[in-house]
Structures are given as structure tokens and as C-alpha cells.
Amino acid sequence: MLLERIRNDRNLKVMVSLLLMIILILGIAGMITPRLLQPGHLIELARQSVPLGITALGQSAVILSGGIDLSVGSIVTMTNILAADMIRGRDNRTIPVVLFLLALGILIGGTSGFLIAKTGIPPMVMTFAMSSIVRGGDLLYSGGAPGGRASPMLRFFGAGRVGPVPVSVIIFIILAILVLFWFKKVRTGRSTYFLGNNFRAAKYAGVPVERRIVFIYAFSATMAVLSGLIFSGYIGVGSFEVGGEAFMLNSVASAVIGGNTFLGIGNIAGAIPGAFIITLINSILRSLGIAVTGQHIMQGVIIIVMVVLYTGQIGFSRKKLKKAGG
Amino acid sequence: MENIGKTFPGVKALDDVGIELYGGEVLGLVGENGAGKSTLMNVLNGIVQPDEGKIYVDGEEKEFSSLIEAQNSGIAYIQQELNLIDELSVQENLFLGKEPLTPFRTIKFRELFKKTQEVLKSLGLNISPREKAGNLSLAKKQMVEIAKALLFDAKIIVMDEPTSSLTDEEINVLYKLICRMREEGKGIIYISHRMEEIFSFTDRISVLRNGACVGSKSTKEIDHDGLVRMMAGRDVEERFFKEETQTGPVLLELDSIHGQGKVEDVSIQLRKGEILGIGGLMGSGRTELLETIFGIFPPREGRLTLDGKPFKPTSPYQAMDQGIAYIPEDRESKGLFLDFSILANVSLTRMEKDKSLYNEANHRISIDRVSEKLGIVAPGLDSRVENLSGGNRQKVILARWIHAGMKVLLVNEPTRGIDVGTKTEIYKLLYDLNKQGVGIIVVSSELTELLMISDRIVTLYEGQLSGEFSRKEANKEVVLQAMTGKKEMVTGTG
């Protein structure tokens, strides 16, 4: 009966698969190095996955709408460099700068969304070009040598703790609840799934599709800015090492592992376990002394395994259920 | 085919179905939407594997696990949605996957051209093999599909609703072709909702109902009413005229609207509780006119008045918000989210209109009621729309607008590809909406339908109004004349 439900409800199937995958990876990791499973380390893992998790929420929304956002990595880098340079360690500057950066993010994402909606330029091309522009802007602004540092307030958000719990994890939980609510209950968020499944039908059903596309890309860029702010608070300085292309690819991987498709099928919530799995693998492999190359290979394998699981060709497939008497 | 059975999650699509087809015969396969015709043909063609039952071709038992395997056994399937690739030429489409190759594995284009030309000529078709498929009319595409079947020497040819987009003349060409194939000893399975064709084209008719075969009869032995009764399992009131109704004040007024494409200088009035039929040939601008009112292509010139207030449609969202509803002719591409549930498909527009938080429980209660009233047949509101038949899909779109509420309903081809029984239900639903004060504009290629349901008919020719007829004045001849451009302005009621 439970198997039957899991087979028929795709979102349930995705969540069960993700949970099993996390348990499996933690189990294997625990066998190799037991100290990885200590509560302190698990909390540290959760903290590490916050910036990626935030960006992945935005990326998932874009993917569910049938597009892709290749500019999030550059926006994270931009946020980090601008935040450090403009705040320069001063608390009283923090809030204005944060507001300015959020507005800048909305402007950048909104521009991408506007041009995608109005001119029909493919999202991949538009956001790739935008990424290039932002990256060039970063270099121009910093002259290639970023300076400045985060303020104590920003450091509290990025690296502080309340008891044993990192502040960034608390921020993430609040943010995630808001986003999930938004994409389930509020029409601007909820219609995303419809745009991805059949853009034309959404238009003919009376959805203001162009405005929604602008919203979705602005949302994704805003999430990237938030992610960059948390990063800056943790690292404390501006650096070109933050964000970038690898980070953008990780956000796509998180969204896809989270069960999200370009056809509006999936659930934005999947991005959270998706980002956790990516962070988990990379952290474990790093602690085992396996280089970045190994992390890439492992990540690729996991993406394939998960997506095959969701499409139902193995695992909970009909044939197997039949044999089991389902 | 013997004892074919197939079950989809929650639905028994086919139950112990057996049909026979002889060489040199045309078998009509009829049944209401969801009776299992398409599923049965998908089984025959290896697209769907049966849970039970056997298929014999020339006395030999066969098991097809793919369309290719069925093709190799001499079965050709001409589907309702044509499978040509628009960007490829006719010859490339014909030989797709079976191109004659040189020893270097490149395509022998000269041979491709010659063979294609031969087969097109033998069909009496005046198409260049190098023409892009996308440039052909629907009818010619249909013919190319048939050419494909002939080219590979199919013994069994399945045609699913081949005439739904053809003109009378084109249907005649198709008819001659079918006769010729029959003489050559081929077996043809012909699926159609159009009764006249079933009676004039076929030798024998098999009727499916609710996934079971309820009988096969020689075409000569059965009459129209008998066949409809067999299909529906009950007496069907097929001709379902609209009663004379008292129409209310003017609801929507178009004042010399210039719209997308050819639409020029169109002025019409729609009253509360009235059905206004729009007649016109394909390409007369009838779809463009509806889409102009719905805001897909905002009007270039002219004024609209809705409920006495000026109304300027700039987007579908804005038109919807003002109370205009549109049911497009192409349900799948413009209307539905096939991967989503009925609930999601219906609730969307209301959610946009309410501009408040989405409350699933409230939507569910209200949609349950609408769905019951419309008679949507499905296991539940959570079933995916993909698993529904054409008639039920149309009802889902209608349910969407009823759930959202509307003042004016624009319907493009209300019953395309829908069986007789469901058609009557849809007409009844339109009449009910009329009674609640909704004004309805209907575009239909089926003249009988237009004459039956409209209080008033206007005709379009080349984007301009070419006639207006009250219910009493309208008949097939005069309307058709106006549709084909013979200007004979008759002053109507408006």
C-alpha cells in the first residue's frame, strides 16, 4: 500500500529517494570515519550547505519555469566583493549596503527576466551573457584585487551561533519556510509550475506570464545575493574564490537532484535536500583527501542515479512491484 | 486481435476485446470518447503492450513491443496528430529511419527523390519531394502520411480521425484513395466520429463501448440511429437545438475592430444569454478575431465595450480579469497542463482572478461541485489530465472558466474530436450558461453544429464580416454562400 502510494505520487517518491540517499551516504561515511557522524560535525555540514541551499531554491524556481539561470555564480561573487568593499568592517554601513545589494540583485535578475519574456531570447543565452557582464563588472570594480572586510553584524549572520546552532542555519530555515509557502500558496510563486509545464496554456488560462518570468529571475538573483551575503559574513573578506561557475553548476545539480524538471514537474522544496547531498559528498570526499576531480565524478554519478530513480525505470518500477505482488 | 485487455492505473481501458480485419475491407471502428479505440490501436501498433490477449497477422501470432516492429509486420498507423517533422522535406520525412544508403553510410538523395516522386504521383499528389513538410496544408500532410504507408507496402492501414481537419473536397480525394487501397487487397481500419463517413467509407463496423467490443455489423445492416444507440448504450438526442430564448441587453460590442492578421473593420454585438455563431473558412480570421477579444493580439484599431463600459484587451490576464473566457481550438497545446491534476488545471484561473492565497480545500469543494455538474468522468480530482479522453479534457477547460466565473465565453471549435453523446452534453452546458446570463460566441467548422446552437450567425470572409443571419433566416446554403465570400448582406436582428 505504501509502495503503491510512493509509486503514484512523484513528489513523495522524490522525497523518499532523497532521504534514503542521505542515509546511505551518511552510513557509508560513518563506516569510513565514525567521527563524521558526531552531532557537532552534522551541524557544521548543515551550516556549510546554507549558501548553496539558498541559491538552489532560486535556481529550482527558474528550472521549474522551464528556464535556467547561469548567472547565479557571478552574482554571488559580485555580492561578496561589493559587500566587503562597501562595508569595510563598519556595522552602521551594513544594512544600507545589504539593501542596496538586494536591489541590485532584483535589477539584474529582473533585467534578464524582462528580456527573456519580451524578446524570446533563450534563458540559457540571456543568463550566460548576464553572467559575463556581472563578472566583468566585478573585475572592473575591484581592479582584480578585492579589498575590504565584513562588519561584525554581517559576521554574526554568516558565522555566529546561538547556543550550538549557527545563525545562518536559522536564517535558512526561516527563509525556506517563507519560500515554500510562497510557491505553494501565493499565485506569483505557484504559477511557476504551470509556466514550465505549458507556457502557452498558462497564457491562455489568464496567467500574466511575462510578469511572472520577470519575477522568477528576479527571485533567483535575490536568492544569490542572500547567499553571497552569508558567504561574506563567514569568510569575512572579498574574494574571487567565492561563488563562480562551479557554484552555479552546483546549484543546478542541487535542483536536479531535488527532483525538479524543466517541465514544471517537481517541488521547489527538493532543492534543500539536494543542496545538502552535494555539500555532504564534497565534504566527505575532501575529508578523505580526494581531490576536486573525484568530487566532480561522484557528483555526476549521484545526479544520474537520482534522476533514474525518479523516472521510475528502476527502484519502484511497475515490473518489480508486480513481482512483489503489488 | 483476440481477448485484448489493458488496465491503466485506476481505469480498465480494454476488456476482452476482439476484432477481425480481412484483406480488401474497410472496417469502421467507432465508439464514444474513452471507449478504448485509441488504446486498442496503440496495442495493435506496439505503442502500448496489452496485459492479456493475442494479435494475429495473416494467421501468425505476433507480439509487438514497439511501433517499428509493428511497421515491419506491415502495419501502418496514421495518427490523429500527424507525425511529420516540419523542418524536413517530404522525401526525408517519408524515408525517416529507412533512408537508402550508399556504402559510405550517407543518404542516396537521388534515389530518395525518385522513389518519393513515384509514390506521390501514384497518389495523384502535386507535391514536390523537396518541399518542407511544414509548408504543406494539413490535408497534404495527411496524404504524405498515407504515402508513407504505401511506400513500405503496408498490408494493414489504421487511420485515426483522418478527416477532422480536411475540407469536403479533400475528403473526396481521401475516399478515392481508400477505395483504391481496398481494391489492392489491403485492410483498412477507419476511426471517425463523423457518421456520414463511417457509412459511406466502410464495409463493416465494430463498436467499442467502455473498453469492450459490443458488436460488429456489416455497414448495410445498420442505420444511423441504430449505430448511435450501440455506441452510447442508450438513446441519444443527437439534434439538440437551442430553445428560443429571451436575450438580454447588449453585453459586448465590437466597433470596427482591426485585429491581428486579416481581421478588419469587424463590428458585432453580443447580448446577454445569447449564442452568437461565427462561420468562416479556415484562414478567414475567425480564430484571430476571438483571440483579439481575449487580448492575445490586442486590437490595432477600433473600440470594444463590455457591459456598457469601454474595454481594451491588452493581455489574456486582463481580459480574464474583466470576465472574458476563451476555450481554444487546440486543447492540448493552448489549454491543458497534461502532467498536472484536474484540480490544478481547473483552479489556476480562479487563483489568478481572486488575487488571494491559494486555499486548496476551498478550491476542492467548489471544483468537486462543478466537476459533478459537468459530468467529468475520472477517478478523482487528483487524476492527471493526460489520462482523460478528449471530451473530458474539454470539460476540464470549461470547468476552469465556470470555476473562475465569466461574463462572456468565447469558444473555438467546442466539439472537435468529441463523440456524439458528449457533444450533446457540451451543448447543454452552453445553454445552461446562457440561462445564467453569460453571452457566448462560438466558432465552428461544423455548419450543422453552428446552425443548431446559434441564436444568430455572422460570417467572416477574408477577415471581414460577410453576412449576418437570424435563426429563422439561417440555413446551410445562405451561410455557406456568405462564408465563401458571395456578399449578400442580409439585415439580421442586431
Side-chain angles (χ1 to χ4, degrees), chain B residues 125-405:
Chain B
L125 288 179
N126 190 19
I127 307 173
S128 157
R130 293 205 180 93
E131 184 73 46
K132 266 193 189 171
N135 296 340
L136 300 178
S137 67
L138 268 176
K140 288 205 165 142
K141 282 185 183 175
Q142 196 95 45
M143 298 297 168
V144 171
E145 286 275 3
I146 294 171
K148 207 155 131 187
L150 292 180
L151 197 62
F152 296 104
D153 225 13
K155 287 176 293 202
I156 300 169
I157 296 160
V158 181
M159 295 187 196
D160 194 352
E161 293 277 351
T163 54
S164 59
S165 47
L166 301 192
T167 64
D168 283 347
E169 212 166 295
E170 290 160 341
I171 292 174
N172 258 330
V173 177
L174 181 72
Y175 175 61
K176 279 182 201 140
L177 205 63
I178 289 176
C179 290
R180 222 186 70 200
M181 293 194 286
R182 171 166 54 192
E183 273 158 35
E184 285 167 12
K186 297 183 193 300
I188 295 160
I189 298 180
Y190 191 88
I191 301 177
S192 181
H193 282 308
R194 295 196 178 172
M195 289 297 152
E196 314 97 73
E197 284 166 26
I198 289 287
F199 279 100
S200 57
F201 286 20
T202 65
D203 305 304
R204 212 155 51 82
I205 302 173
S206 285
V207 183
L208 289 184
R209 191 169 73 221
N210 296 331
C213 185
V214 291
S216 295
K217 287 240 162 86
S218 156
T219 307
K220 288 184 208 104
E221 285 170 23
I222 191 162
D223 65 354
H224 180 272
D225 291 349
L227 187 59
V228 171
R229 216 174 299 128
M230 254 173 108
M231 282 165 58
R234 58 181 194 271
D235 284 310
V236 176
E237 222 184 319
E238 197 190 333
R239 314 221 96 218
F240 192 67
F241 279 95
K242 189 178 177 209
E243 300 162 22
E244 287 280 350
T245 40
Q246 204 66 44
T247 53
V250 174
L251 184 60
L252 177 75
E253 188 170 2
L254 276 67
D255 186 9
S256 66
I257 287 295
H258 294 247
Q260 206 252 347
K262 281 188 255 180
V263 177
E264 252 173 63
D265 198 20
V266 174
S267 302
I268 43 180
Q269 283 186 335
L270 175 72
R271 288 169 180 280
K272 260 193 170 164
E274 176 189 45
I275 295 186
L276 173 67
I278 297 184
L281 301 173
M282 234 193 225
S284 61
R286 47 186 199 186
T287 297
E288 288 81 352
L289 178 62
L290 292 191
E291 298 200 339
T292 301
I293 303 174
F294 190 57
I296 305 266
F297 312 108
R300 285 178 283 136
E301 259 178 72
R303 278 201 314 270
L304 283 116
T305 318
L306 177 64
D307 242 357
K309 284 178 225 111
F311 163 64
K312 203 167 185 301
T314 51
S315 72
Y317 171 70
Q318 193 245 12
M320 175 275 289
D321 210 28
Q322 303 281 318
I324 311 268
Y326 179 50
I327 300 182
E329 78 286 15
D330 191 342
R331 282 191 280 281
E332 279 68 33
S333 84
K334 290 179 180 174
L336 294 168
F337 307 90
L338 291 177
D339 296 304
F340 293 167
S341 66
I342 297 178
L343 184 72
N345 269 277
V346 176
S347 60
L348 171 68
T349 304
R350 174 70 175 272
M351 172 180 81
E352 292 290 351
K353 196 167 192 164
D354 281 356
K355 304 182 176 62
S356 60
L357 290 186
Y358 173 76
N359 183 328
E360 181 154 317
N362 284 354
H363 278 284
R364 193 179 282 275
I365 294 167
S366 149
I367 293 174
D368 237 343
R369 224 175 296 135
V370 176
S371 152
E372 198 173 324
K373 193 176 142 221
L374 301 196
I376 295 176
V377 185
L381 291 186
D382 294 310
S383 341
R384 283 171 10 133
V385 169
E386 191 179 23
N387 297 330
L388 300 183
S389 65
N392 280 313
R393 289 179 181 186
Q394 184 75 319
K395 286 183 188 171
V396 166
I397 302 184
L398 195 56
R400 171 188 295 161
W401 289 111
I402 293 175
H403 182 55

Side-chain angles (χ1 to χ4, degrees), chain B residues 15-27:
Chain B
D15 187 11
D16 196 14
V17 174
I19 59 164
E20 287 169 338
L21 175 70
Y22 301 97
E25 145 180 278
V26 181
L27 174 71

Side-chain angles (χ1 to χ4, degrees), chain A residues 238-251:
Chain A
S239 156
F240 274 104
E241 298 290 306
V242 170
E245 219 154 90
F247 189 74
M248 178 274 289
L249 289 174
N250 279 344
S251 76

Side-chain angles (χ1 to χ4, degrees), chain A residues 51-230:
Chain A
L52 182 59
I54 295 176
T55 314
L57 284 172
Q59 185 69 268
S60 293
V62 174
I63 285 180
L64 283 167
S65 80
I68 194 162
D69 190 345
L70 301 185
S71 66
V72 290
S74 304
I75 294 175
V76 169
T77 315
M78 173 198 82
T79 307
N80 171 247
I81 288 172
L82 291 187
D85 191 72
M86 294 166 86
I87 291 175
R88 293 192 181 270
R90 279 194 255 173
D91 260 351
N92 60 354
R93 283 193 183 178
T94 310
I95 289 174
V97 170
V98 166
L99 291 179
F100 165 74
L101 288 171
L102 286 173
L104 187 61
I106 292 173
L107 180 73
I108 292 173
T111 306
S112 295
F114 180 80
L115 289 173
I116 289 166
K118 281 290 175 199
T119 67
I121 180 172
M124 197 184 284
V125 178
M126 180 62 229
T127 56
F128 179 70
M130 188 53 95
S131 177
S132 190
I133 293 170
V134 170
R135 195 159 187 76
D138 291 349
L139 285 165
L140 201 65
Y141 181 87
S142 64
R149 61 190 174 83
S151 61
M153 195 197 282
L154 199 57
R155 290 208 59 101
F156 175 70
F157 290 138
R161 282 174 187 254
V162 178
V165 188
V167 177
S168 64
V169 171
I170 297 171
I171 294 176
F172 181 65
I173 291 171
I174 296 170
L175 190 65
I177 291 172
L178 285 176
V179 169
L180 298 196
F181 177 81
W182 196 273
F183 279 77
K184 189 161 175 62
K185 297 277 185 184
V186 182
R187 59 194 183 116
T188 41
R190 190 177 166 83
S191 57
T192 306
Y193 298 94
F194 292 92
L195 296 190
N197 193 248
N198 189 344
F199 187 83
R200 218 141 60 119
K203 184 174 178 179
Y204 277 83
V207 179
V209 285
E210 293 174 355
R211 269 189 265 162
R212 294 298 149 82
I213 291 285
V214 175
F215 163 75
I216 290 162
Y217 284 85
F219 169 73
S220 173
T222 309
M223 295 310 261
V225 168
L226 286 174
S227 163
L229 288 169
I230 300 271

